[in-house]
Each structure stands twice: as structure tokens, then as C-alpha cells.
Amino acid sequence: MPELSHRRRMLVLAICCMSLLIVSLDNTVLNVALPSMQRDLHASTSGLQWTIDAYTLVLASLLMLAGSTADRIGRKRVFMAGLVVFTLGSVLCSLAPNLEALVAFRMVQAVGGSMLNPVAMSIITNTFTDPRERARAIGAWGAVVGISMAAGPLVGGLLVESVGWRSIFWINLPVGLAALLLTLRFVPESRAGKARRPDPVGQLLVIALFGCLTYAIIEAPSTPLASVAPLAVVALAALAGLLWFEPRRTEPLIDLRFFRSAPFSGATVIAVSAFAALGGFLFLSTLYLQNVRGVTALEAGLWMLPMAAPTFLCAPLSGRLVGSRGPRLPLLIAGCAMTTSGVLFAVFEAETSNSTLFAGYVLFGIGFGFVNAPITNTAVSGMPRAQAGVAAAVASTSRQLGQTLGVAVVGAVLAAGVGASSYREMFVSAARPGWWIIAVCGFAVLALGAVTSGRWARGTAERTAERLESAEVRDTAGSDGGRGTHSASTGA
């Protein structure tokens, strides 16, 4: 990628953040609309889970493929294709005649979404080469999640109350179109110096693993064990297949060598834990506020502000801390805040009192605000720039997988606890195991943040980077037929 002026780099960052905004808005807006969709489409709890998880599941399955494809054929090209498909999927979702069609169109959205966030992060990584400048850029990127959490519930609630739930998908159209035109004009093309070959077997194994595992969890409360057990077996077989097959490929879909780095492995598990907590938190909160307290969609959006505002404020602060002091402090703050929030709901039934409900939301918002920047920065820093797309895609996949599992597991626990009773009667007691799951996820962020950010962990990251760079040099020299050089192709 050619060296860009400071102003041009800021513009590229803004364009990439626009893609994150529409993807993040889509999730937060949808959560507020769930009760309205449930009534209009006559959906069960598992049906509501699928409107969220159909999207995050496809997204998680395709992110690594999108990242490696962008590194191979051009990041700008894949990014623009993602904007087109995501915008088209949003139009289709707004026209869905029933729940089954909505779930299918959400999957179309996800295909486009898989080409956005990891590719945008790869563009940012290759645009901001200075580590401190990159950390600040990633902090700004994380702040967009806070903006979406603040604006999404309010905009969604207003649209649901005034127009209807279908209108929540319309807001993606102007943002997607603007991002597409700006990308075409201002974002330079870039790709990895050495093209990575496709890995269809690895891709199929990832789809089988994520799909079967999620389906088994969501459907377990309402389906006989004999029906879901084979899916769990397939998921385990797919995992074993990945662990056996991927190390034997020269250019695997998932480069397991990355996981020799303790910070990278820690960031991956932290991402799963943090976003599982987020998915479960939003799912429980939205259903409680509207189906138990009986507030409107707009009022539910206002109740989300105590969580959204700290996320918005803490994300850029976290980015600056990561740039100046490393990821340890932000991760410890995030873990403590998220754990305390989960315990507050699980032990003290925080949702039954306005003051404790407010405190629980603020604590979770602080924790989530601090967790995103260290995840992203740790995942991409230290890795060869030529593999930035793949490394960023693993981090993004971990986020989406975490959110998928959070909604699936917490939703399944809630469905089993409520049973045939009404939400209003059983919700608080039925949700308690779900809040404990969220607290455990927060503690995982705390523990792993402490273990994987010290001197020993940094040593493993340095050794891993050296091995990857040495292997990359050998592979490049071999592909050049002994010429010894290989230039990255870049566009204007």
C-alpha cells in the first residue's frame, strides 16, 4: 500500500468505521425489535435466537475465508463487494414475509458482513504502520461500537414505535451506499505480497463445527436428546478434523501457528468470552424490559443508554492505554467490571430494582468498552503484515462465535427455565443461570488478561513472529524460483 498523508489515513479510517457502524447498528437495533418481531411473526424463543444467530453464525464461518481472499485478490475489491451484498441483504430483510425468510435473508446479510469488518481491520493495519498510531486508530474503531450501542437502541426503538420493525433495516441503505462511493474514490487497493491458496476442506469443517454446535445448543431445550446428539458428534468430529488437517496444509485457512503466541491465543479466548457475555446480556435485557416490565421499544432503548454511554467513552481511552501501556490494564478493568455486573444480576437480582439495574448496565458498559481495543491490537500486532487479514479475521471470528454461543447458550437456559410459563412469571428466576454464565465469561476475561499480558506471554509472541516471518521468507523465496525478492501488488 502506498504511503498516505495523515489526512488521507484519517479518511480511510472513517470509511472503515462506517462499515463497522452498519454491522454493529444492525445487531443493536435488532435486539430492541425482537419483542415486536416475536408478536408479528409468531416466533418462539428459539426463533428469536435464530434471527440473531443465523447472522452471527454465517459471519463467523466466513470471516477467515474473507480475510484470506482479501489478502489474495485485493482488500478494496472484497470490501466493496461486502458493502453491496450487505446492503442488498438489508433490503431483503425489510421485505421478509415470515420468520423463515427473515432468517434466510439475515444469512445473506452475513455473507456481505463477513467481507467488511476483518477486511476493514486489515486495511487499517496496513494504513497505520506506527504501533502507537495503530492502537489509537483501533481505539477509534472500538468507539464506533459504543456509538452503535448508544444510537442503535434509540433509533431502533423510535423506528419500531413509529414505523414498525421492518424499518430498522432501512438505516443500512444510506450508510452502505455512502461507504461504497467513498471507498471507490479514496481507499487504495492493497493485497498480501504472496497469495494464499483457498482451503475448501478447512472451510467446510469450520461451517460444520459452528453450524452443528449452534443448532444443537439452541434446539436442545425443545428437541429430544436423540435428535441433537448426532449434531454434537458431528461438531466434535469437525473440530478433530480441523486440528488434524490444518497443520498439514502449507497455507491453511486457520494457521494454528498463530496460537503459539500466548497473547494471540488469549485474545482469541477473551474475544469469545467477552462477546458471549455481550450477546447474552443484550438478549436477556431486551426481553426483560419489554416482555416483563412492559416498556415500549423506545423506552427499552433509553434503558440501554447506561450501558452504551460508558462503552462509547471507554473504548478510545482503552485504545490510548493499549498504545502507551499495553493491553494488561484495559483487560483487567474489563474483566472486573463485567464479572461484577454479572454477579450483581445473578446474586442480587439487579433487574428487579431501578438503581441496581442502572448500576449493572453501567458496569457492563465500562467492561465492554475496555475489552475491544486490546483484543484487536493483540491479535494483529506482532504478526507479519502480509497475514494481517488472516490474523484480523481470526479475532473477528472469535467475536462472532462468542456472540453466537452467548445467545445460543443463554437463550437455551432461559427457554428451559421458563418452559410453558409466561415470561412475566418466571423470567427473573429462569434468567439467573444466564447471568451466572455472563459473570463466568467476565472472569475469564480477567484471568486470561492477567496471564497472557506478562513478560512470558510477550516472549512467546516474539518467538512466534520470528518463526512466521522466517517461514514467510522461505516460502516467498521458493515461489520466486530463487530470485529472492517478491513485491506486494498495490493499487492507486
Side-chain angles (χ1 to χ4, degrees), residues 12 74 123 187 221 233 252 286 337 464 485:
V12 170
I123 292 172
V187 176
V233 172
T286 301
T464 300
T485 59

Side-chain angles (χ1 to χ4, degrees), residues 81-445:
L83 288 169
V84 171
V85 175
F86 186 86
T87 305
L88 176 61
S90 300
V91 174
L92 293 174
C93 286
S94 70
L95 302 175
N98 51 50
L99 180 66
E100 291 76 14
L102 177 61
V103 170
F105 295 150
R106 288 278 290 164
M107 296 172 76
V108 174
Q109 263 191 314
V111 173
S114 70
M115 304 181 211
L116 296 180
N117 287 3
V119 180
M121 180 51 61
S122 182
I123 292 172
I124 291 172
T125 303
N126 282 271
T127 300
F128 295 88
T129 55
D130 178 74
R132 291 198 174 190
E133 192 177 32
R134 181 194 300 145
R136 293 190 185 99
I138 291 173
W141 165 272
V144 174
V145 178
I147 294 173
S148 71
M149 291 182 69
L154 290 176
V155 173
L158 183 61
L159 288 173
V160 170
E161 289 297 310
S162 60
V163 184
W165 65 264
R166 296 179 187 278
S167 62
I168 65 174
F169 297 104
W170 298 347
I171 58 178
N172 295 331
L173 307 186
V175 180
L177 181 60
L180 179 64
L181 296 176
L182 290 170
T183 301
L184 182 64
R185 175 65 180 86
F186 293 108
V187 176
E189 182 61 281
S190 66
R191 56 177 62 87
K194 183 178 182 295
R196 295 173 59 85
R197 290 175 293 182
D199 181 8
V201 174
Q203 183 61 59
L204 290 174
L205 288 172
V206 166
I207 293 173
L209 170 61
F210 292 172
C212 292
L213 179 63
T214 304
Y215 189 91
I217 293 172
I218 289 179
E219 298 299 332
S222 58
T223 306
L225 181 61
S227 299
V228 297
L231 293 171
V233 172
V234 172
L236 287 174
L239 176 60
L242 281 170
L243 295 176
W244 179 85
F245 179 76
E246 292 299 280
R248 287 163 171 76
R249 279 188 58 86
T250 304
E251 294 175 343
L253 177 71
I254 307 173
D255 195 335
L256 298 182
R257 293 175 299 178
F258 286 0
F259 293 94
R260 295 174 183 171
S261 165
F264 182 88
S265 298
T268 302
V269 180
I270 287 170
V272 172
S273 301
F275 278 76
L278 175 67
F281 194 97
L282 291 176
F283 192 79
L284 290 178
S285 295
T286 301
L287 292 180
Y288 170 75
L289 289 171
Q290 295 187 57
N291 287 354
V292 179
R293 285 205 170 192
V295 304
T296 65
L298 180 57
E299 290 170 332
L302 290 171
W303 262 111
M304 292 291 182
L305 279 178
M307 178 177 63
T311 299
F312 171 66
L313 295 173
C314 292
L317 174 60
S318 177
R320 287 193 291 271
L321 284 174
V322 171
S324 61
R325 301 185 58 179
R328 188 182 188 89
L329 182 58
L331 288 175
L332 295 181
I333 295 173
C336 287
M338 295 173 77
T339 303
T340 305
S341 175
V343 170
L344 193 62
F345 281 94
V347 177
F348 299 100
E349 297 183 351
E351 64 264 52
T352 59
S353 165
N354 285 343
S355 58
T356 51
L357 182 65
F358 180 87
Y361 281 3
V362 169
L363 283 169
F364 192 88
I366 292 172
F368 191 73
F370 272 100
V371 82
N372 214 23
I375 289 173
T376 305
N377 191 72
T378 304
V380 300
S381 62
M383 298 298 171
R385 285 177 61 191
Q387 294 183 336
V390 181
V394 173
S396 295
T397 298
S398 302
R399 290 183 177 89
Q400 298 303 325
L401 177 61
Q403 194 162 352
T404 301
L405 293 177
V407 173
V409 173
V410 172
V413 167
L414 178 66
V418 171
S421 305
S422 70
Y423 270 59
R424 194 177 296 273
E425 295 173 354
M426 296 295 298
F427 186 94
V428 173
S429 59
R432 188 174 295 115
W435 292 119
W436 275 119
I437 292 170
I438 291 169
V440 169
C441 288
F443 183 75
V445 172

Side-chain angles (χ1 to χ4, degrees), residues 37-122:
M37 293 165 60
Q38 184 178 32
R39 292 188 296 270
D40 191 26
L41 301 176
H42 309 290
S44 62
T45 298
S46 64
L48 294 181
Q49 289 172 270
W50 277 119
T51 62
I52 299 173
D53 275 356
Y55 177 85
T56 55
L57 178 60
V58 172
L59 202 62
S61 299
L62 298 180
L63 281 171
M64 285 177 287
L65 174 64
S68 60
T69 300
D71 282 348
R72 182 172 64 254
I73 70 172
R75 297 173 181 124
K76 177 179 179 178
R77 183 181 301 175
V78 172
F79 186 69
M80 290 177 64
L83 288 169
V84 171
V85 175
F86 186 86
T87 305
L88 176 61
S90 300
V91 174
L92 293 174
C93 286
S94 70
L95 302 175
N98 51 50
L99 180 66
E100 291 76 14
L102 177 61
V103 170
F105 295 150
R106 288 278 290 164
M107 296 172 76
V108 174
Q109 263 191 314
V111 173
S114 70
M115 304 181 211
L116 296 180
N117 287 3
V119 180
M121 180 51 61
S122 182

